[in-house]
Amino acid sequence: MRDDGTSSLTAEQLKGEALTEAESAGERALHRIVIVGHVDHGKSTLIGRLLYDTDSLPPGKVEELEAISARRGMAIEWSFVLDAFQAERDQAVTIDTTQIWFKTALRDYVIIDAPGHREFLKNMVSGAASADAAVVVVDAAEGVREQSRRHAYLLHLLGIRQVAVVVNKMDLVDFDQARFEEVSQEITDYLRSIGAEPMVIVPISARDGDNMARRSERTPWYDGPTVLSALDGFHGHPGVGAQPLRLPIQDIYKFDARRILAGRIESGSLSVGDTLLFSPSNKTARVRAIEAWPEDRRPESVGAGQSVGITLDEQLFLERGEIASHVDNPPKLSTLFNARLFWLGHKPLTVGSRYKLKLLTQEAEVTVQSIERIVDTQTLENSAGDTVERNAVAEVTLRSRSVLGLDDYGDLPKTGRFVLIEDYDTVGGGVISMEGLPDQRQAVEVKSTNVISVEHRLTADSRAARNGHHGGVLWFTGLSGAGKSTLAMEVEQRLFAKGYQVYVLDGDNVRRGLNANLGFSPEDRTENIRRVGEAAALFADSGIICITAFISPYRVDRDRARASAPGRFHEIYIQADVETCEQRDPKGLYKKARAGEIPEFTGISAPYEPPEAADLVVDTSTQSVPESVEAIIRYVEDVFTLKRDS
């Protein structure tokens, strides 16, 4: 019995907890288990022995293994069951992932044997990505090694929360209980340090079958489950009934008069009559039928893990990559997300690099906006850096050119994972975090219907002729303390004195009225800027020069404001670094943010995305207020003032 309780569950308790909804109804479920660990710790031997102990080997296979092993002067080598390539047999290294089907009395399994050698880490990641649970193999004599930690970290990174550990080759340490507990504590401490917990730790000798299918007499001090019992203790789709629906659309087939949407349900369930919301298009429709052949066998409901085809009650134009969900619990929409990424590319990842992202059935071009930190998977220490080298883990921010439907992997692991492609090669993979970032759905959702625009009888030219200048938006963006409000008020006064029709919308003033009902969450910030952008566009349309002074930290929000005033939007970057702004701190906000009194404060605990191509940059860290004002006035006179014929 282990002191920390990780092996205290009995086989009967594990089996009792393992029953899924399908199994409770008498159906056999298929479970995908990935086997990982340091090279030569015995993964393939473990799987070969499992196949033998479950009578899953074809007739004559055991005799063939005995003959092959004898020719090499060794005892029967169970790993030869899996190592299909001669190179693997000669080098005793698993190169590619291998999938093996077998079954116990309770379940059907697909075992994924992932390579342990560092050179084939990409194969390990691709194999583990499709697994429901994992078994980590650790050599009793060698203990936890570099790849043991890296593989465990990657499992956690991929969102695999069900992990069992087997301490193999106990025969090499004479089945010593103290050594088993030492290795168990070592791997448990590491797993807990990354937020994971082993469901069970089993002492085994895979070659001899100790504690594989039956309890071994050579470990009288161990009273936990066998390896087979531990596998039966895994569940397939945890909490499937409670998870929100996610149906990525794989393809659309036109069949007679029907448009059949096809895909695999990743989580949740749907029924005929349900109203579905499709992301990112934001379109809705009801499920008319779940298609099947023959038609009289059409089901009324389907659930996670099933590949389905559905038809809708109206002919929506949808494309591959849409995600179907229920209206009340959809994925988020965003062009920006944080990611914990494992880098596999031969060329290092750098800020500004572009890759193809694959997320469920969506594909989009993304750009690396920033590298927040690089993680040492052995020590878990964080470091700064401008590049991410091969086989390293990093926390990065990615920006997409198009809006994506996505989930935080902490909420839905299967739909919060992605891979990056460069030149048709997989170069990275990771999980999504939307912490501190807004859901952009409310900004693109149009709730009003039956609305008809009324055209003004006054043209923009006639307004400009009356005012002597064109209307437009001067959008001041920059960190708090950069000087946006100071410059806006000074520019307004100077322009008014020159005869311009001008008005300032300032962040603090707007929040007392128009946006008084909004807070400072990412979603409220997005809505705040959306409203200001629309209001500023109305000012511009009326012929007034509207100056806005808002941090507006996200490019996508500023782009949306630009789209509200096409041809009249001018982005003015009031530039100053965090150190300069913090030294000024006119409102004492940085001090409060550093003290933790203001969560999600831009520049400290929330991101700011500088303009990529501002119409004008005013650097207040090097320019005085009069110099900055003069630069803006000159810009207005060049761009807005009507040119009179001489």
Side-chain angles (χ1 to χ4, degrees):
M1 177 80 72
R2 285 190 36 77
D3 294 336
D4 60 13
T6 53
S7 293
S8 60
L9 292 176
T10 66
E12 289 72 21
Q13 287 174 318
L14 283 168
K15 286 184 179 180
E17 292 186 358
L19 291 176
T20 64
E21 296 172 5
E23 291 164 333
S24 299
E27 302 175 18
R28 290 180 64 88
L30 179 65
H31 293 251
R32 294 173 174 83
I33 312 294
V34 64
I35 312 291
V36 302
H38 194 80
V39 64
D40 291 334
H41 279 204
K43 300 177 304 300
S44 297
T45 301
L46 168 74
I47 299 172
R49 183 72 196 206
L50 274 178
L51 297 178
Y52 172 73
D53 285 337
T54 55
D55 296 324
S56 301
L57 293 175
K61 190 65 175 179
V62 174
E63 290 76 13
E64 178 187 340
L65 293 176
E66 290 175 339
I68 294 173
S69 301
R71 288 198 297 269
R72 284 165 172 75
M74 60 177 68
I76 186 168
E77 182 52 67
W78 299 109
S79 66
F80 288 171
V81 173
L82 307 178
D83 294 339
F85 299 119
Q86 186 66 38
E88 294 177 347
R89 286 181 176 170
D90 292 342
Q91 300 176 31
V93 172
T94 301
I95 295 174
D96 204 353
T97 55
T98 308
Q99 297 194 19
I100 311 98
W101 279 255
F102 81 100
K103 59 186 177 182
T104 65
L106 181 64
R107 288 188 175 142
D108 296 331
Y109 286 98
V110 174
I111 294 291
I112 304 166
D113 178 32
H117 201 278
R118 181 168 181 166
E119 293 180 18
F120 309 119
L121 208 52
K122 182 185 297 186
N123 302 38
M124 177 266 161
V125 173
S126 63
S130 61
D132 300 309
V135 175
V136 178
V137 182
V138 181
D139 188 308
E142 292 191 3
V144 179
R145 300 294 299 277
E146 174 191 3
Q147 289 296 80
S148 308
R149 292 187 177 90
R150 183 174 281 113
H151 285 183
Y153 192 94
L154 290 176
L155 293 175
H156 185 69
L157 186 66
L158 291 168
I160 298 175
R161 296 294 177 262
Q162 300 180 93
V163 177
V165 177
V166 295
V167 180
N168 192 22
K169 303 184 182 181
M170 286 297 298
D171 53 309
L172 298 183
V173 296
D174 297 325
F175 293 91
D176 181 59
Q177 180 181 1
R179 179 56 181 165
F180 168 71
E181 292 181 349
E182 181 182 351
V183 175
S184 298
Q185 192 63 54
E186 187 179 9
I187 188 65
T188 298
D189 289 345
Y190 182 78
L191 288 171
R192 287 176 176 170
S193 71
I194 60 176
E197 186 78 29
M199 293 179 63
V200 64
I201 302 179
V202 187
I204 69 167
S205 171
R207 185 187 302 276
D208 299 331
D210 294 272
N211 292 325
M212 294 291 294
R214 289 173 292 278
R215 192 74 58 79
S216 172
E217 296 179 356
R218 297 197 281 185
T219 56
W221 39 266
Y222 174 74
D223 62 358
T226 63
V227 173
L228 281 179
S229 296
L231 294 183
D232 284 341
F234 290 135
H235 46 75
H237 299 282
V240 63
Q243 289 182 340
L245 171 67
R246 295 293 183 268
L247 170 58
I249 303 304
Q250 177 76 27
D251 212 338
I252 300 172
Y253 300 100
K254 296 180 181 179
F255 188 77
D256 51 51
R258 293 171 290 175
R259 289 172 57 86
I260 300 176
L261 311 183
R264 182 180 185 272
I265 299 177
E266 295 295 339
S267 62
S269 60
L270 67 84
S271 301
V272 174
D274 286 357
T275 298
L276 301 183
L277 172 64
F278 294 90
S279 301
S281 67
N282 238 14
K283 298 174 182 178
T284 59
R286 291 176 63 249
V287 179
R288 184 179 68 181
I290 300 170
E291 300 297 331
W293 188 87
E295 292 189 3
D296 59 1
R297 294 187 181 180
R298 287 177 174 171
E300 289 296 310
S301 299
V302 285
Q306 291 182 263
S307 295
V308 299
I310 61 172
T311 52
L312 306 174
D313 65 347
E314 56 180 299
Q315 299 285 7
L316 298 182
F317 177 74
L318 299 170
E319 297 180 291
R320 171 187 165 88
E322 296 273 359
I323 303 174
S325 67
H326 289 121
V327 176
D328 58 351
N329 205 339
K332 293 182 177 181
L333 294 184
S334 185
T335 57
L336 184 74
F337 63 90
N338 300 319
R340 181 162 286 186
L341 175 79
F342 186 78
W343 188 246
L344 299 162
H346 290 281
K347 295 187 294 185
L349 176 142
T350 58
V351 173
S353 298
R354 295 183 179 181
Y355 305 98
K356 177 191 288 187
L357 174 137
K358 289 190 175 182
L359 172 61
L360 300 174
T361 56
Q362 301 174 93
E363 293 186 2
E365 182 180 292
V366 295
T367 302
V368 180
Q369 180 163 302
S370 63
I371 299 172
E372 304 300 329
R373 59 188 59 86
I374 301 171
V375 182
D376 186 317
T377 57
Q378 291 206 71
T379 65
L380 301 182
E381 293 180 352
N382 295 330
S383 62
D386 298 326
T387 61
V388 181
E389 300 295 336
R390 192 179 189 201
N391 295 335
V393 172
E395 295 180 8
V396 303
T397 301
L398 299 176
R399 172 175 291 281
S400 169
R401 297 187 64 180
S402 56
V403 178
L404 299 171
L406 44 79
D407 287 296
D408 193 305
Y409 92 103
D411 299 327
L412 286 174
K414 289 203 172 224
T415 57
R417 301 191 293 216
F418 67 91
V419 296
L420 298 180
I421 308 294
E422 183 180 37
D423 298 330
Y424 305 100
D425 187 27
T426 300
V427 292
V431 295
I432 293 168
S433 171
M434 289 296 292
E435 183 178 359
L437 298 176
D439 181 357
Q440 297 173 17
R441 185 178 298 277
Q442 64 178 8
V444 301
E445 187 175 18
V446 178
K447 296 183 178 180
S448 302
T449 58
N450 299 321
V451 176
I452 301 174
S453 298
V454 177
E455 296 295 330
H456 289 280
R457 295 182 179 179
L458 296 177
T459 66
D461 288 341
S462 62
R463 295 179 191 275
R466 169 69 64 87
N467 294 331
H469 62 81
H470 298 288
V473 178
L474 293 178
W475 191 279
F476 288 12
T477 177
L479 293 172
S480 176
K484 299 181 298 300
S485 296
T486 299
L487 295 181
M489 296 305 178
E490 186 68 25
V491 168
E492 179 189 40
Q493 187 175 18
R494 288 278 304 277
L495 289 177
F496 184 79
K498 288 175 173 284
Y500 288 83
Q501 299 295 320
V502 60
Y503 189 80
V504 171
L505 293 176
D506 181 72
D508 288 345
N509 294 342
V510 168
R511 282 186 175 274
R512 291 193 178 97
L514 176 66
N515 295 339
N517 65 323
L518 298 178
F520 290 90
S521 69
E523 287 75 20
D524 280 358
R525 285 186 171 191
T526 290
E527 176 60 14
N528 180 57
I529 298 304
R530 189 196 68 81
R531 293 182 190 178
V532 170
E534 294 293 341
L538 293 176
F539 274 95
D541 193 48
S542 72
I544 294 175
I545 296 175
C546 181
I547 304 172
T548 71
F550 293 83
I551 296 174
S552 49
Y554 303 118
R555 291 192 192 116
V556 65
D557 294 337
R558 301 196 298 267
D559 289 344
R560 193 175 292 114
R562 182 186 295 273
S564 298
R568 298 176 180 175
F569 184 93
H570 303 263
E571 189 173 33
I572 313 296
Y573 181 23
I574 310 301
Q575 183 178 19
D577 55 46
V578 174
E579 290 75 16
T580 299
C581 295
E582 195 164 1
Q583 288 172 4
R584 296 169 179 167
D585 203 9
K587 304 173 185 177
L589 299 179
Y590 284 93
K591 184 177 180 180
K592 292 181 179 179
R594 293 292 188 189
E597 298 176 19
I598 304 178
E600 304 298 337
F601 186 78
T602 303
I604 302 297
S605 52
Y608 175 78
E609 300 172 10
E612 292 181 315
D615 297 288
L616 177 66
V617 177
V618 177
D619 190 345
T620 62
S621 63
T622 59
Q623 296 176 234
S624 66
V625 171
E627 289 172 335
S628 300
V629 170
E630 191 61 35
I632 298 170
I633 295 295
R634 286 199 304 270
Y635 180 84
V636 171
E637 290 176 339
D638 289 342
V639 174
F640 286 82
T641 306
L642 291 182
K643 309 302 180 191
R644 304 293 184 182
D645 294 332
S646 55

